[in-house]
Amino acid sequence: MSQWRNGRMAQLSQMAVRLSATLWAQVLIAVLAVLVITITVIAPLPLEEQMLFTAACMTAALILRRKASRLAVLAMIVMSVIASLRYMYWRLTSSLGFEHWLDMAFGYGLVLAELYALLVLLLGYLQTAWPLQRKPYPLPQDQALWPSVDVYIPTYNEPLDIIRLTAFAAQAIDWPKDKLNVYVLDDGRRDEFREFCDSAGIGYIIRPDNFHAKAGNLNHALKITDGDFIAIFDADHVPTRSFLQVGMGWFLRDPKLAMLQTPHFFFSPDPFEKNLETFRSVPNEGELFYGLVQDGNDLWNATFFCGSCAIIKRGPLLEVGGIAVETVTEDAHTALKMSRLGYNTAYLALPQAAGLATESLSGHIGQRIRWARGMAQIFRTDNPLLGGGLKFGQRLCYLNAMLHFFYGLPRLVFLTAPLAYLFFGAQIFQASALLIMAYALPHILLASVTNSTIQGRFRHSFWNEVYESVLAWYIMRPVLLAMVNPKLGKFNVTAKGGVIEKGYFDWKMARPYIVVLALNVIGIVVGLSKLGFAADSDVVATLLINLTWTLYNIIISAASVAVAAEARQVRVEPRVYANLQASLVLSNGKTVVCETHDFSQRGIGITLPEGVLVPHGEQVLVSLMHDQEECAFPALVAFSRGPTLGLSFANLSIEQQRELIRMTFSRANTWAASWGEGVPDTPLGALGEVSTIGLRGLRLLGRATANETLIHLRSLLAQLKASVRST
């Protein structure tokens, strides 16, 4: 026994020595890597050699882009980081010798914006370099081992049609019925909602006040229900039948897992997609976050709870005091609190629910203002860099999420920086034009190519500048105020399910970037006039750099103006485009095999076989098929245009409504099929897209200005006529 013990101790000692040697080797490699990068960053190079360095890095990046493997992407990130740090080191040590107060004011303002952008770039690389790409984990065969789940659908002012769709889809989730309870949490306390829930067998919960808005609504329900887990869906987010089976397995595998988030997928266009006509052709504003950033956060065990389409374990949620109420972004703050207690979080990049995007630009901006204010409140009151419980990677992921919403002021600086030279002659770079290009170009180009390679499925180049330019002015003030006083501001509900009867130009929302656009257009005129009289080559080069920058700003601000031209939206319920197997039973008893091309709660679009015609007004029975299952629904032909029929469902019962949603919206593959399958990004192609939209923005602004002028002239003429009559 003693010999065995001594032998075992010797083995353990050898293992400890090997582990120690491995650890020291890793530390040594890391120190050497940092040393090499540092030397590369600070090494001074003559202009010609710096240009060669730029050419070599860009060539290597373009070659690596073709491979796009994980290692190739990491190599591109390393080159981009080196180029960006070289630029910033040169910027801080060789371009800030300001002598005039005007140069100093504009110059230091720009360098602070650049430092912010560099920090966000580096943190972004950390988040997205190696997405975890988690897959569903299977549940045990024995359903007795599956936990009980309460489904919460909080609502305040949404119409009943939206709630009905979400509630029926929640009831259709494939889960043991004795372990699944669906609740509508109605902070609007409406009788029609109570009646619907009673008729559909859905739980209905209200409270006497609206204290703490959505967070308070959820916390009130937590006191009444007792499920092992909580699945939360916003009023307009429709879950698929597979939602729980896809996500719940990870909780049974990992007892420390407290929250699993799935993507927010939208089956209607947001204001950018609707007004710019880019729906499903250009990834929207949120796709980068749900397609890549959250997947990267998952590697660091820093997945954010996003308020909907998520599963939360009751025990850990109660342990942190329920949904956070200290800030207006209660969701992300709740996840941060659970992470501080050592619980794990997870992200499954598989759309298992879909909802309605904001309809109007003003509503979209209001929603983003709340997010920005809430993140600033967390940064101020529960800063992830401070306090206990978080690992280093978690701190940095949360830090980047919060810093992201501080882009308002830096974005406005970038949109107006070249005007300092064109208008006032301010030298914001104390260096020659060629030297500026030699250091700035590799920083800009490598960051652009690297991010395009990493993000190409979920974000096209240059579109981020458009999104930020539209929102910059509006989020800047609430973010800065929240840093001063975190208690300022209140929760605002994002309206969904509205209509826009007539297209219009939103002058109020567009005003800030119309001003930016006008300033840059004036800057171009001033710069070109100066260029005509410039004789010195350095002055010419500096003017050309600033004119190019200003032209780019015109493209971005003009594209931002285009977003303010609100397109009509006459349907309360946007249709989902999908080709599903179907058949029609006509009034004469004949059966026609066909397929759908779109559907909604109220109707369905049908494509008939060649040669088949069905007249307007005919009553039919439409059957939908899925996995050997068939359900029939009475309908009326609302319109008939050759092979295309529009059917309106006729007086469906509660059970038929439930079956319709189960056969359409609730299909497991309804949303996942198109996730991340858009046209991949190419930077030059994306620049062409944004430039085309910029030209469209200029045309729309000209047309809106002409219409507004005509209205004012007519009003003035009417006043003159009235004045003449009165005299």
Side-chain angles (χ1 to χ4, degrees), residues 439-454:
Y439 280 91
L441 276 180
H443 159 57
I444 295 170
L445 294 179
L446 279 170
S448 178
V449 171
T450 302
N451 275 317
S452 174
T453 305
I454 297 171

Side-chain angles (χ1 to χ4, degrees), residues 424-436:
F424 309 111
Q427 299 286 343
I428 56 178
F429 286 84
Q430 296 294 312
S432 69
L434 286 177
L435 205 56
I436 293 169

Side-chain angles (χ1 to χ4, degrees), residues 542-559:
T542 303
L543 279 168
L544 288 174
I545 289 175
N546 282 281
L547 283 169
T548 302
W549 190 350
T550 304
L551 179 61
Y552 176 76
N553 286 342
I554 287 175
I555 292 171
I556 297 300
S557 51

Side-chain angles (χ1 to χ4, degrees), residues 139-191:
L139 287 162
Q141 293 293 323
D142 185 1
Q143 293 190 3
L145 300 176
W146 296 10
S148 59
V149 182
D150 293 331
V151 178
Y152 289 170
I153 305 170
T155 175
Y156 172 62
N157 60 358
E158 297 83 1
L160 180 57
D161 282 345
I162 288 179
I163 299 298
R164 182 186 289 113
L165 174 57
T166 304
F168 281 147
Q171 283 188 312
I173 292 176
D174 290 331
W175 201 254
K177 296 308 174 187
D178 60 329
K179 296 187 176 185
L180 180 70
N181 294 292
V182 179
Y183 299 94
V184 170
L185 317 182
D186 182 18
D187 256 5
R189 295 177 283 279
R190 292 157 289 185
D191 291 338

Side-chain angles (χ1 to χ4, degrees), residues 45-52 432 434-439:
L45 291 176
L47 178 61
E48 295 79 6
E49 293 182 15
Q50 175 63 23
M51 296 297 286
L52 287 173
S432 69
L434 286 177
L435 205 56
I436 293 169
M437 290 183 64
Y439 280 91

Side-chain angles (χ1 to χ4, degrees), residues 575-604:
R575 289 180 174 265
V576 177
Y577 294 92
N579 299 117
L580 309 178
Q581 287 184 311
S583 66
L584 288 182
V585 178
L586 307 181
S587 56
N588 60 8
K590 181 180 178 181
T591 299
V592 178
V593 177
C594 52
E595 67 176 20
T596 71
H597 57 77
D598 61 36
F599 61 80
S600 72
Q601 280 191 93
R602 298 177 184 275
I604 195 164

Side-chain angles (χ1 to χ4, degrees), residues 161-162 165-166 169 234-240 263-270 273 279-280 284 287 309 351-359 496-497 569 571-578 598-601 661 664-666 670-671 674-675:
D161 282 345
I162 288 179
L165 174 57
T166 304
D234 279 346
D236 60 293
H237 276 124
V238 184
T240 64
H264 286 194
F265 184 87
F266 298 101
F267 57 82
S268 66
D270 68 21
E273 296 171 307
F279 189 46
R280 297 288 188 257
N284 64 38
E287 283 192 49
C309 311
Q352 288 293 292
L356 295 171
T358 48
E359 283 91 10
K496 301 287 181 70
Q569 179 171 306
R571 284 185 174 136
V572 176
E573 300 173 335
R575 289 180 174 265
V576 177
Y577 294 92
D598 61 36
F599 61 80
S600 72
Q601 280 191 93
I661 289 165
T664 53
F665 290 91
S666 292
T670 299
W671 320 117
S674 60
W675 180 246

